[in-house]
Amino acid sequence: MDNARKVAVDVLNEVFYNKAYSSIVLGNMLNNSTLDQKDKGLVTEIVYGTIKYKYTIDKILKEFLKNNFDKTDRFLLNILRITIYQIRYLDKIPEFAAVNEAVNLVKKHVSLGASKVANGVLRNYLRNKEGAYYKEGNIFEELAFKYSFPQWMIKLFYEQYGIHLCEKILFGLNQRPDITVRVNSTKGDYENIFNRLEENGYQIEEGYVCPEAIRIVRGKSIEENPLFKEGVITVQDESAMLVAPAMEIEENMTVLDLCSAPGGKTTHAGELLNNTGEVLAFDIYEHKLNLIGENIRRLGLTNISLSLLDATNYEENLEEKGHRVLIDVPCSGLGIIRKKPEIKYNKNMKELQEIVKIQRKIMTNAARYVKEQGVLLYSTCTLNKGENEDNIKWFLKQHPEFKVEPLFFGKVDNIIYHEEGYVTVLPNTYMDGFFIAKIRRTK
């Protein structure tokens, strides 16, 4: 029988040292393990929690390991990380049990000497749980330790949003994400599908802001549900659900989706067309198009075609092709840290600046694909204004034939309606951080 904490350490080793995606490596390791469902849940909690709070945990460990932190055996260091996480952030696991389990695992997988180090560090921490591990009086160090974010990211949010919204963003990005599903309007009505989910034993609620959304509060894996397999529902965050309806899609239109993976917005557009018209969906990676194709077939959509395309390269045969053109551009992903906490540690300011060049190439090409009076929809899952507001302002200077049209998704406290017309969605329990701009070609 596999040990839950050993599996968690193996996952973290791949994420922290081999830059693996947490969701992928965790899924693979759990599927290949002999753990029962309860232990799989524990592994998932420990992995995501430890990644989420790595900055804070490492600040604590550096206090006890001193100059040896960077030289510490990786297995030992990850055992210390997951144990500090359990002690500091979980209530259900007794402290002595967490420490004993850690010491025994280090003794088994590293050495007796390393287990003595683990025992010393962890018991020292237990005596100093309320200690100050940052420079008091420094707002950036305080926020970084409290919310467990690198200081450069704290400063970015602080400078762009001010202290109040900065803290709101940090708090929101640390929330446990809900699973939300979108009702496929081509296969049934909302009320009927809602009732069928309840009959299948799910505890559910209506969406936070999207009329197509159903929140899964409690229940078994949604992908094993007959309604999912029948294509009646599909998993999608509510922020992403806002995008396709914002285009004001009408039947028989041609919709271009230039950066379509993972395909949620593509299929949503197909549903809004009610299987009329056409959605021309493109992506740079063939394996991602294959996954989108599987979803299209599951959802029973017949109006979507898939093609390889690098959206940074101009494609002449798409000139003025689309009534609606969607560019959900590659971005830094700072709005989806709830789901991918490793983004905290694998991004930097240089990458944020470099991605803007790619985004602007895509915007320039996409402008040429929009019919007169058509709509260009720009969206990202980041909160960096350099990739959002600044790009829209740049685009409008380059293309005076376009203008932003205001969007409104309802009065909720996490959506910012800018006077220019575009929208920023702040992360909370229900939604990822997002940015959406609807831009009309007027001539």
Side-chain angles (χ1 to χ4, degrees), residues 119-133:
N119 188 59
V121 167
L122 293 171
R123 296 198 181 279
N124 206 349
Y125 170 67
L126 288 176
R127 291 190 290 270
N128 295 277
K129 285 193 293 183
E130 306 307 319
Y133 296 96

Side-chain angles (χ1 to χ4, degrees), residues 194-211:
F194 192 98
N195 292 336
R196 286 182 65 189
L197 273 171
E198 284 189 318
E199 290 166 5
N200 285 351
Y202 288 85
Q203 183 182 340
I204 55 177
E205 294 177 2
E206 291 183 5
Y208 178 66
V209 67
C210 298

Side-chain angles (χ1 to χ4, degrees), residues 193-247:
I193 293 165
F194 192 98
N195 292 336
R196 286 182 65 189
L197 273 171
E198 284 189 318
E199 290 166 5
N200 285 351
Y202 288 85
Q203 183 182 340
I204 55 177
E205 294 177 2
E206 291 183 5
Y208 178 66
V209 67
C210 298
E212 308 97 325
I214 298 174
R215 288 178 54 227
I216 310 297
V217 178
R218 187 172 289 110
K220 56 190 175 183
S221 171
I222 198 69
E223 293 183 0
E224 297 302 314
N225 187 283
L227 292 174
F228 180 86
K229 292 179 179 179
E230 294 166 19
V232 176
I233 55 173
T234 197
V235 177
Q236 189 178 30
D237 187 85
E238 280 202 62
S239 292
M241 277 187 223
L242 297 174
V243 172
M247 289 190 278

Side-chain angles (χ1 to χ4, degrees), residues 90-296:
L90 296 183
D91 298 325
K92 296 179 182 177
I93 300 174
E95 292 175 352
F96 71 89
V99 172
N100 287 341
E101 179 77 10
V103 171
N104 289 333
L105 278 171
V106 173
K107 188 186 297 182
K108 179 178 180 180
H109 294 284
V110 187
S111 67
L112 176 62
S115 72
K116 291 179 179 178
V117 173
N119 188 59
V121 167
L122 293 171
R123 296 198 181 279
N124 206 349
Y125 170 67
L126 288 176
R127 291 190 290 270
N128 295 277
K129 285 193 293 183
E130 306 307 319
Y133 296 96
Y134 60 90
K135 190 184 296 182
E136 296 186 53
N138 184 312
I139 186 66
F140 299 118
E141 286 200 22
E142 182 179 342
L143 291 175
F145 187 81
K146 179 180 179 181
Y147 293 105
S148 200
F149 278 77
Q151 286 191 48
W152 75 264
M153 204 176 287
I154 301 274
K155 290 175 182 176
L156 178 79
F157 293 143
Y158 180 88
E159 290 167 1
Q160 294 187 355
Y161 291 91
I163 184 61
H164 173 69
L165 287 182
C166 172
E167 281 214 64
K168 189 171 184 176
I169 288 167
L170 298 174
F171 179 82
L173 290 175
N174 276 343
Q175 294 305 293
R176 186 190 300 271
D178 281 339
I179 294 175
T180 313
V181 296
R182 185 185 79 233
V183 171
N184 180 356
S185 58
T186 69
K187 287 204 170 188
D189 67 86
Y190 184 95
E191 187 175 351
N192 176 261
I193 293 165
F194 192 98
N195 292 336
R196 286 182 65 189
L197 273 171
E198 284 189 318
E199 290 166 5
N200 285 351
Y202 288 85
Q203 183 182 340
I204 55 177
E205 294 177 2
E206 291 183 5
Y208 178 66
V209 67
C210 298
E212 308 97 325
I214 298 174
R215 288 178 54 227
I216 310 297
V217 178
R218 187 172 289 110
K220 56 190 175 183
S221 171
I222 198 69
E223 293 183 0
E224 297 302 314
N225 187 283
L227 292 174
F228 180 86
K229 292 179 179 179
E230 294 166 19
V232 176
I233 55 173
T234 197
V235 177
Q236 189 178 30
D237 187 85
E238 280 202 62
S239 292
M241 277 187 223
L242 297 174
V243 172
M247 289 190 278
E248 294 186 354
I249 293 172
E250 299 173 9
E251 290 191 4
N252 297 308
M253 281 184 169
T254 295
V255 178
L256 275 59
D257 186 350
L258 300 186
C259 313
S260 61
K265 302 174 195 70
T266 304
T267 54
H268 199 179
E271 291 167 15
L272 292 173
L273 282 167
N274 197 26
N275 263 332
T276 68
E278 59 179 351
V279 180
L280 306 180
F282 305 94
D283 202 80
I284 195 171
Y285 298 111
E286 187 167 4
H287 70 277
K288 291 186 177 182
L289 289 176
N290 291 336
L291 292 174
I292 297 170
E294 291 175 12
N295 267 329
I296 290 169

